[in-house]
Amino acid sequence: MKTLKPFSSALVAALLLAGSAQAQNQKLPLRTPDHREIRAPDRHEERQNAAERMDDRMDVAELERVLTRFDKARAQRNNAAELAAVDNRLRELLRAELAEGSKEKLQARAETRREWGESRAENRDDVRDARAETASLAARKTIARELNSLMGARSPSQLNRKRDLIVELVRLGKQEVRQDRQEQREDRKDRRY
């Protein structure tokens, strides 16, 4: 009987070790964090995104005001002083938009690199966002070059083209606002999982 006690003790120990090893290998179900558990970087990113969305909406509103001023100047027999003021405001807005676009493009690329490996869906979203920022910036640069060549122009065809370009800038701005809302929905969805 004395020889059975050490044997049974060894057997019990082996079973316990095997059971604990098996328990360690089992994956526990992931728990969905509630809104209070969002990490500080996530809250910072949320605030930054909210500020960018507000800025994008204000940019669209300002471009729409410039378009209205442009149309009024044209209605007033091509009011030269007002058209010159519109040209100056467009230069300011485009300079700011291109600087902001370059910054957003760099941020989108950095986010893609920083968050690479999270999940395939999130990686695809980040890559898509970076590509959208790149395309948006390229379109704005093209419009800015053409608008720059039309600054000070007063022929009807040139003024019509300038108006078309301002309308295109408004359209791009509204598209960016829609993309911001879509990205916000995706971020909320990602936080739930």
Side-chain angles (χ1 to χ4, degrees):
M1 280 253 182
K2 286 187 178 183
T3 58
L4 268 160
K5 267 191 174 180
F7 178 74
S8 62
S9 295
L11 181 63
V12 169
L15 288 172
L16 284 174
L17 284 173
S20 67
Q22 185 179 12
Q24 285 178 349
N25 288 335
Q26 288 181 348
K27 292 186 177 182
L28 297 175
L30 294 176
R31 187 176 64 84
T32 304
D34 67 4
H35 63 81
R36 292 170 299 208
E37 294 176 332
I38 296 174
R39 296 175 295 141
D42 291 339
R43 285 191 299 270
H44 173 73
E45 186 177 338
E46 278 182 23
R47 284 191 299 272
Q48 185 177 355
N49 290 344
E52 287 174 4
R53 284 190 302 274
M54 177 62 77
D55 184 54
D56 289 342
R57 286 191 300 268
M58 290 182 347
D59 290 346
V60 169
E62 181 61 23
L63 283 168
E64 288 174 331
R65 283 191 292 275
V66 167
L67 181 60
T68 300
R69 284 179 65 190
F70 179 82
D71 288 341
K72 283 182 183 177
R74 296 249 350 241
Q76 297 171 349
R77 297 183 178 243
N78 294 334
N79 181 335
E82 186 62 18
L83 286 173
V86 167
D87 283 350
N88 289 333
R89 185 62 184 140
L90 268 175
R91 274 191 201 100
E92 292 170 9
L93 288 172
L94 284 171
R95 197 173 303 121
E97 276 293 311
L98 293 177
E100 180 182 319
S102 294
K103 181 180 128 189
E104 288 175 355
K105 176 182 162 185
L106 291 174
Q107 286 174 339
R109 284 186 177 173
E111 183 177 357
T112 300
R113 283 190 297 273
R114 182 177 62 245
E115 295 179 356
W116 192 256
E118 287 184 347
S119 76
R120 283 187 172 178
E122 288 177 21
N123 289 341
R124 279 192 303 269
D125 290 344
D126 291 342
V127 169
R128 186 190 68 233
D129 293 343
R131 285 182 181 154
E133 287 297 336
T134 300
S136 177
L137 182 60
R140 283 185 169 91
K141 282 181 178 180
T142 301
I143 291 170
R145 279 193 296 274
E146 192 170 349
L147 274 172
N148 194 39
S149 72
L150 294 171
M151 295 294 173
R154 299 292 180 255
S155 77
S157 64
Q158 290 171 322
L159 291 173
N160 288 338
R161 181 62 185 149
K162 189 184 293 188
R163 185 182 193 289
D164 291 344
L165 292 170
I166 297 170
V167 168
E168 181 63 15
L169 283 172
V170 170
R171 188 193 66 74
L172 285 172
K174 288 181 177 180
Q175 178 182 349
E176 188 170 358
V177 168
R178 281 190 304 275
Q179 287 172 342
D180 289 346
R181 281 194 294 255
Q182 176 65 30
E183 190 171 330
Q184 182 182 23
R185 283 190 293 270
E186 289 169 0
D187 289 346
R188 283 184 189 146
K189 181 181 172 187
D190 290 343
R191 279 194 303 272
R192 279 187 248 143
Y193 296 108

